[in-house]
Amino acid sequence: MADAPELVFDLIFGRWRSQILYVGAALGVFDQLSDQPRAAAEVAEKINADAAMSYRLMRALGSIGLLIENDEKAFRLTDAGALLREDHPHSLRATALLEEGPEHYAVWKHLVDMVRDGRQNGFMREFGTMGFDYARTNPRYGLIFNKAMSSMSSLTTDWTVTALAQASCSDIRDVCDIGGGHGHLGCALLEAYPQF
C-alpha cells in the first residue's frame, strides 16, 4: 500500500489523469490507433491537432496505461486504451466523454454546498434543470448520455451473465429488468436462460 503522502498526492492529481483520458477520447486519438504503432504526427494530422501537443498528449496517455510508445516515438493501444475506441464492442468512450465532459465536470463544483445544505442535485444548481430534462433539450449531451448508459450496460451485462454462470438459476422463472434502457441485461439473460 502507498504511504500516506503518496496516496494523498495520487488523490489530488487524479483529475489530471481523467482529463488526459477525456481529451484523448474527445479528439479521437484512440480511434486512430490499433495494435500497430503509429507516429504521433500522423495521428495529429488525422485528428486536426498540433503535432507537438499531440505527442505530449500521447505520452501522457502512455503514462496512465492507455498507450505504449516504442523507440521510434510511435504509439499503439493497450487493452485498456482499446476500450476507448468508438468501435470496440464494450467501448467506454462515451462514458469518458460524459463523466469528464463539461456538464458533469461543472456539477462537481457544487459538492461542498450540497454537503453543507443537504440539497443533493448539482445538476439543478448548475443548469437550473434536472439531468434527464437537460438531456432532452440538449441533443449533444443527450446523445453522449445515452451512448454512455448503453456502453456501461453492455459491459455490466457481460459481467452479470458471467457471474451467474457459476450459480444454479434453474429454479428462477421470473426476472424484471427495472430501468433497463435498451434491454441489454434482459435480452442477455433470456438468451442464457430461456426458462425465464
Side-chain angles (χ1 to χ4, degrees), residues 83-184:
L83 286 168
L84 295 158
R85 285 182 56 98
E86 182 79 35
D87 63 358
H88 190 284
H90 294 298
S91 176
L92 293 174
R93 179 179 184 272
T95 305
L97 294 175
L98 177 72
E99 294 303 329
E100 289 303 314
E103 289 86 2
H104 286 210
Y105 197 90
V107 168
W108 279 98
K109 71 183 175 191
H110 299 286
L111 187 56
V112 170
D113 292 331
M114 291 187 316
V115 171
R116 281 195 175 127
D117 67 27
R119 291 184 298 117
Q120 296 181 25
N121 198 306
F123 224 97
M124 180 63 81
R125 289 171 191 259
E126 182 66 20
F127 299 104
T129 187
M130 299 296 283
F132 287 114
D133 295 327
Y134 185 85
R136 278 191 285 280
T137 59
N138 293 271
R140 183 201 57 79
Y141 176 78
L143 178 65
I144 291 296
F145 179 86
N146 286 331
K147 282 184 174 184
M149 294 301 106
S150 288
S151 70
M152 287 189 291
S153 179
S154 174
L155 191 58
T156 57
T157 291
D158 283 358
W159 293 341
T160 302
V161 171
T162 299
L164 287 175
Q166 309 304 315
S168 172
C169 297
S170 59
D171 293 339
I172 299 173
R173 294 285 178 252
D174 299 308
V175 174
C176 185
D177 186 6
I178 305 292
H182 296 287
H184 292 111

